[in-house]
Amino acid sequence: MNKAPLLSISNLSFHYPGARGNRNTLERIELEIFEGDRIGMLGESGSGKTTLSLILAGLERPSTGLFLFNGKRLLGRKAYRDYRKKIQYLFQDPMEAVNRYRKVFEIVSEPLTYRKTKKEAIVSIVSELLKTVGIDPLRWHDYPDQLSLGQIQRVCLARAMTTNPKILICDEPFSALDVSNCGKMKEILLQLNANHGVTLFIISHEPKSLFKLCQKILVLHKGKIIELIDTTRGQHAQHEYSRKLLEINTT
Amino acid sequence: MIKVEGLTISIKKKAQTYALLRDVNFSLEQGQTLSLVGESGSGKSLITYAVLGMLNHLEGLEGVVGLPGQKNVLRLSSKELRRFRREQIGYIPQNPRECLTPTLKVGSQLTEVIAVKTDRSVRAGRLIARDLLQSLGFPDPEKVLKMYPHQLSGGMCQRVAIAMAVVSRPALVVADEPTSSLDLLIKQEIIKVIKSVQTEQGFALILVTHDLDLAFNCSNKIAVVYGGRLVETGTAHNLSNKPRHPYTRSLVRCSSRTGADKSIHYIPGEPVSIYTRFKGCRYFNRCLSRLEICETREPAWVNLGDGQVACWHYGRDEST
């Protein structure tokens, strides 16, 4: 089982330009992501969750440190552009992430039209994905306003999957949803992970859902990874801070 | 005591009447907390708007909302309403940052609210603001008063909003998803703050949430809303341990609290739209234990002593 990691990050630090005293938002991050992994990230607001996810998405570049994709270092604009094609991002607020003046089917097929996919191929890919995420064919020509929030979130998920990404980064995918929609979303994510082999990177501040979904959970505190919990081995939190986070949830 | 009886809201659209809320009943003692839970779009927020007297202009508004010293909030004139809002109620919003004016300092906004609500001068208001913020857990209130909302964190904004809501010692405070935009540690802190103010002032609290754990942990009563109707009410203890209505059961299972349980649950199907006309139980299509009668007749509101439920599984054979 000695696979090479899909993505490996070592000694990565990051500071935003103009940060006071070049204070690092992220410090000495070490991370390896293998293909098909389900990784969760836990941390309170301001801990650097979003910054790390932006770096993974190729939208920010690390200040120092090594960032390898498929064993190759990403250098220059072209490398980043190619890298970004293999990553998709699912946003926190689904309503903000879609164009309200487009129909569901158009929203999902948009990434494909930019990639000059043939029309018949688009129809088959999009139909299949919309079925996978459980959107009734009757609703395919509705506008986002006519759908519930949970349904729009699933439409966004279908859109993210059209380009067959290697990694799907989900930024707080459950925080806008109610319990039932949450469960549905989790099941679909697991299904996509199993059938399409997409690597999931899920950011959340809700430990409960992460424990159900993920194999590994990173705990981020003040820009540092303080703990990596392996849930498959039934490992429990060791660090005091992560224990505190988990305790709140159970009481 | 807060009493809501037969609250119904219907709107006319294309010569058809649609009921947004139907026959909502609940009561709440002073100092107690009621949580309204349900899926998005079920009408949780709408109930609170009606209770706060924000829907009094609607034609299809029926029922009674009684508060201490008020016979029916729904029949207040606009002048009485202003007085009612100033003195008797407080509202804690979902997104506190959006409810504060970004161009004014926290101090001037808070002082203005206090001056209006307590009929005092601005200078006296500022002193009250300072004491209030201190009691809400700000170590240095003077500094906070001089800051702009964008300089505060989400949790701090929420505490300022709480200060605005409770300053007039209201009889009823409504908190609409007060913690959904906050992270775990701050969420806990905010709930603690709200609870401690409640013990001090003794107001009744209506908490709107879809976080069942939160509802179970910090409320006395819970009302489950589905498709604009209450389907079950009861004490938090009863609802979490033996939910009666099939919908409540599914909801409780969806948010199973044990972290070790890796199975994922959800309620199949989509919630009903208010525009679908339906003779029977609104939960019929998604219900796992439906009966024949459920499709054709709407279940009545059955009182079971320690709770109420609207389901055909109860009440019919209660005598046996």
Side-chain angles (χ1 to χ4, degrees):
Chain A
M1 276 287 285
N2 257 342
K3 279 192 296 182
L6 181 67
L7 209 112
S8 93
I9 289 172
S10 55
N11 204 13
L12 176 143
S13 295
F14 179 82
H15 63 83
Y16 281 100
R20 223 174 287 157
N22 282 348
R23 196 176 63 88
N24 281 338
T25 313
L26 292 174
E27 256 191 272
R28 277 176 267 134
I29 301 287
E30 306 273 345
L31 179 63
E32 277 187 346
I33 299 178
F34 293 91
E35 197 159 355
D37 268 1
R38 299 189 299 271
I39 297 180
M41 184 155 64
L42 202 63
E44 52 187 317
S45 35
S47 58
K49 293 194 303 267
T50 306
T51 311
L52 183 55
S53 75
L54 288 177
I55 289 177
L56 286 181
L59 297 170
E60 292 281 2
R61 298 188 192 184
S63 310
T64 53
L66 212 58
F67 186 65
L68 301 175
F69 180 68
N70 267 341
K72 266 183 242 152
R73 207 168 161 188
L74 293 178
L75 278 175
R77 258 196 226 177
K78 194 173 177 305
Y80 263 96
R81 202 166 58 209
D82 288 341
Y83 171 65
R84 278 200 293 268
K85 282 184 186 164
K86 296 178 182 105
I87 310 293
Q88 282 291 341
Y89 206 99
L90 190 68
F91 296 93
Q92 181 171 4
D93 189 347
M95 206 59 209
E96 303 271 309
V98 294
N99 185 341
R100 290 168 149 221
Y101 302 102
R102 291 287 190 87
K103 291 173 182 168
V104 167
F105 200 86
E106 292 170 356
I107 290 171
V108 179
S109 55
E110 198 176 353
L112 288 173
T113 53
Y114 284 124
R115 290 178 187 219
K116 303 198 172 63
T117 316
K118 285 214 176 76
K119 213 168 179 184
E120 299 87 54
I122 292 182
V123 172
S124 73
I125 294 173
V126 173
S127 321
E128 194 182 327
L129 275 168
L130 280 173
K131 270 179 211 150
T132 324
V133 299
I135 303 284
D136 191 338
L138 290 171
R139 314 302 298 265
W140 290 1
H141 296 283
D142 280 355
Y143 290 95
D145 292 5
Q146 295 164 284
L147 269 61
S148 75
L149 212 59
Q151 286 172 323
I152 302 171
Q153 183 69 292
R154 278 178 272 144
V155 167
C156 290
L157 182 60
R159 177 177 64 181
M161 289 305 296
T162 48
T163 57
N164 240 334
K166 286 259 186 251
I167 303 177
L168 179 67
I169 302 171
C170 313
D171 190 354
E172 304 266 2
F174 314 118
S175 73
L177 306 181
D178 56 50
V179 272
S180 172
N181 275 316
C182 235
K184 220 178 279 179
M185 190 76 189
K186 281 173 205 161
E187 188 159 290
I188 293 166
L189 283 173
L190 282 180
Q191 205 183 326
L192 288 174
N193 176 260
N195 301 344
H196 294 237
V198 61
T199 309
L200 295 176
F201 192 85
I202 304 166
I203 305 167
S204 179
H205 52 238
E206 200 199 0
K208 199 167 65 180
S209 3
L210 289 186
F211 268 93
K212 284 193 177 176
L213 275 178
C214 302
Q215 299 153 333
K216 285 180 204 161
I217 298 174
L218 310 172
V219 184
L220 212 63
H221 183 49
K222 292 188 177 163
K224 285 180 192 153
I225 295 181
I226 56 165
E227 191 167 4
L228 186 72
I229 307 170
D230 193 336
T231 57
T232 49
R233 288 189 208 146
Q235 200 180 326
H236 290 289
Q238 303 288 328
H239 198 280
E240 202 178 319
Y241 174 77
S242 31
R243 267 208 216 138
K244 198 170 131 204
L245 269 185
L246 299 178
E247 247 168 47
I248 292 171
N249 193 52
T250 47
T251 50
Chain B
M1 186 158 127
I2 284 130
K3 218 171 179 162
V4 175
E5 276 170 6
L7 176 64
T8 300
I9 300 174
S10 42
I11 53 162
K12 278 205 177 102
K13 199 174 173 188
K14 288 180 188 163
Q16 294 258 38
T17 8
Y18 299 98
L20 303 187
L21 288 182
R22 282 196 52 187
D23 197 23
V24 173
N25 298 296
F26 60 83
S27 65
L28 183 61
E29 301 287 337
Q30 285 300 317
Q32 290 206 324
T33 307
L34 172 95
S35 288
L36 292 172
V37 298
E39 287 171 284
S40 335
S42 56
K44 306 188 291 286
S45 296
L46 205 61
I47 294 175
T48 65
Y49 294 159
V51 172
L52 293 174
M54 292 196 316
L55 303 174
N56 283 14
H57 57 282
L58 288 183
E59 274 177 25
L61 189 68
E62 292 161 38
V64 177
V65 175
L67 256 77
Q70 296 290 355
K71 268 196 198 133
N72 190 358
V73 173
L74 306 181
R75 294 282 169 267
L76 293 181
S77 67
S78 59
K79 200 178 167 194
E80 288 166 327
L81 256 182
R82 281 176 65 165
R83 197 185 165 82
F84 163 70
R85 286 185 185 141
R86 196 171 68 207
E87 290 170 1
Q88 286 201 292
I89 55 168
Y91 183 74
I92 302 169
Q94 179 172 13
N95 192 340
R97 210 179 288 268
E98 276 170 22
C99 88
L100 298 172
T101 312
T103 53
L104 285 179
K105 286 181 183 165
V106 171
S108 54
Q109 308 187 39
L110 190 55
T111 319
E112 187 188 341
V113 172
I114 291 170
V116 170
K117 278 194 167 181
T118 60
D119 252 339
R120 282 189 216 183
S121 69
V122 172
R123 184 174 289 180
R126 199 162 178 97
L127 289 177
I128 297 175
R130 211 180 54 194
D131 293 345
L132 195 57
L133 287 184
Q134 195 143 30
S135 69
L136 291 181
F138 286 103
D140 189 1
E142 272 305 328
K143 199 173 144 201
V144 177
L145 290 177
K146 285 188 191 129
M147 282 171 44
Y148 287 96
H150 72 263
Q151 294 170 299
L152 303 178
S153 69
M156 286 160 107
C157 281
Q158 189 62 283
R159 274 185 282 170
V160 172
I162 293 171
M164 286 181 178
V166 301
V167 67
S168 56
R169 297 195 156 257
L172 168 70
V173 172
V174 172
D176 195 346
E177 305 260 12
T179 56
S180 72
S181 60
L182 305 170
D183 75 43
L184 217 60
L185 293 166
I186 300 167
K187 182 168 154 182
Q188 196 193 24
E189 194 188 304
I190 291 297
I191 293 297
K192 270 187 191 158
V193 168
I194 296 179
K195 278 281 160 196
S196 75
V197 187
Q198 193 189 16
T199 358
E200 190 203 320
Q201 299 197 352
F203 51 74
L205 176 69
I206 295 183
L207 186 72
V208 177
T209 183
H210 51 230
D211 183 347
L212 279 178
D213 290 348
L214 177 69
F216 288 145
N217 279 327
C218 65
S219 46
N220 308 91
K221 271 176 140 184
I222 292 179
V224 185
V225 192
Y226 185 78
R229 262 202 88 161
L230 293 192
V231 293
E232 185 171 359
T233 60
T235 60
H237 182 76
N238 273 354
L239 245 75
S240 64
N241 292 321
K242 48 166 186 139
R244 289 195 171 107
H245 198 279
Y247 179 61
T248 322
R249 254 181 265 154
S250 307
L251 270 186
V252 171
R253 217 179 42 184
C254 282
S255 68
S256 64
R257 279 189 273 181
T258 44
D261 179 16
K262 289 239 171 188
S263 53
I264 293 166
H265 298 285
Y266 59 89
I267 307 172
E270 297 293 333
V272 281
S273 154
I274 50 155
Y275 295 115
T276 46
R277 293 178 152 267
F278 206 72
K279 269 190 283 176
C281 174
R282 299 196 73 95
Y283 189 55
F284 176 75
N285 289 329
R286 301 167 80 189
C287 188
L288 296 172
S289 48
R290 57 190 169 204
L291 306 168
E292 242 171 66
I293 191 168
C294 299
E295 192 178 4
T296 48
R297 283 181 57 199
E298 198 167 358
W301 193 230
V302 184
N303 205 331
L304 296 174
D306 55 348
Q308 289 88 26
V309 67
C311 178
W312 280 118
H313 283 280
Y314 299 93
R316 282 197 311 165
D317 47 5
E318 198 60 18
S319 52
T320 54

